[in-house]
Amino acid sequence: MICFESQTIKTMFRTFYFRYTVCMKTKKKEKYILTQEKERGVLLTLWLLFLLIVYTLSIGRFIYLFFETEPLKGVVFSAAALVIWGSFLARVVGLVCAIFLLKWKKWALWGMLALYGIAVLLNVIDYTNVYIVIGPLVGAVITVLLVRKKWIFFE
């Protein structure tokens, strides 16, 4: 006969759930890790909520400008349209990545980092101010620093 006994051990960064298998005949214990509790943390949650709010407001602003201002109504197939629609697509992809980062998806993290990389590249090409180049770098560094200890939770 086998009986199960559970134990929770909290360490500095992770919570482990252990389950012991005890054989009644030999009284031998075999310990193995069953699951790990996913803990996002306050800072990562606040950062992702901040990104959700920023991307949502920026998409809403784009939609407002597109339908309410005259200069953007005529821009459909021109050179400026590529920049405008590319910016809109980047905002939508950023919003989707932020939502799925809340759901522990690895591809969302890689998508978010790719967006930061593209933003840095485009800002270096159109170098007008050093702060414009540093902005996406700071966002990428914050995201990586907040996610690095939680990487084992991503699917």
Side-chain angles (χ1 to χ4, degrees):
M1 178 172 182
I2 297 175
C3 62
F4 297 100
E5 176 185 331
S6 297
Q7 178 182 4
T8 303
I9 297 177
K10 287 197 173 213
T11 62
M12 185 179 233
F13 299 108
R14 299 182 185 124
T15 302
F16 295 99
Y17 292 106
F18 291 99
R19 183 166 70 181
Y20 295 94
T21 305
V22 180
C23 180
M24 296 304 281
K25 290 183 180 177
T26 62
K27 303 287 184 194
K28 183 180 175 186
K29 286 187 177 182
E30 298 173 4
K31 181 174 73 169
Y32 56 93
I33 296 176
L34 209 151
T35 58
Q36 253 184 333
E37 183 179 322
K38 290 184 179 182
E39 296 176 354
R40 185 174 297 113
V42 175
L43 291 176
L44 181 58
T45 303
L46 289 175
W47 176 248
L48 292 176
L49 290 176
F50 172 75
L51 289 177
L52 285 171
I53 291 169
V54 167
Y55 281 123
T56 304
L57 289 176
S58 116
I59 289 170
R61 181 176 176 268
F62 176 85
I63 292 171
Y64 170 76
L65 288 175
F66 185 76
F67 289 111
E68 295 298 323
T69 58
E70 290 298 321
L72 285 181
K73 283 185 179 178
V75 177
V76 179
F77 299 108
S78 67
L82 179 65
V83 174
I84 292 172
W85 289 109
S87 174
F88 178 72
L89 180 65
R91 292 170 186 169
V92 171
V93 169
L95 180 65
V96 169
C97 287
I99 289 169
F100 281 99
L101 270 174
L102 284 169
K103 297 182 181 210
W104 303 101
K105 301 296 180 187
K106 282 184 185 178
W107 62 264
L109 177 64
W110 293 117
M112 186 73 70
L113 293 177
L115 281 177
Y116 285 132
I118 292 169
V120 167
L121 181 67
L122 292 176
N123 289 335
V124 166
I125 290 171
D126 185 33
Y127 186 81
T128 56
N129 192 350
V130 70
Y131 299 114
I132 293 173
V133 176
I134 291 176
L137 285 175
V138 170
V141 168
I142 289 172
T143 303
V144 168
L145 288 177
L146 291 176
V147 169
R148 68 185 171 120
K149 291 183 181 177
K150 313 291 186 196
W151 182 251
I152 58 171
F153 299 135
F154 283 86
E155 302 167 355

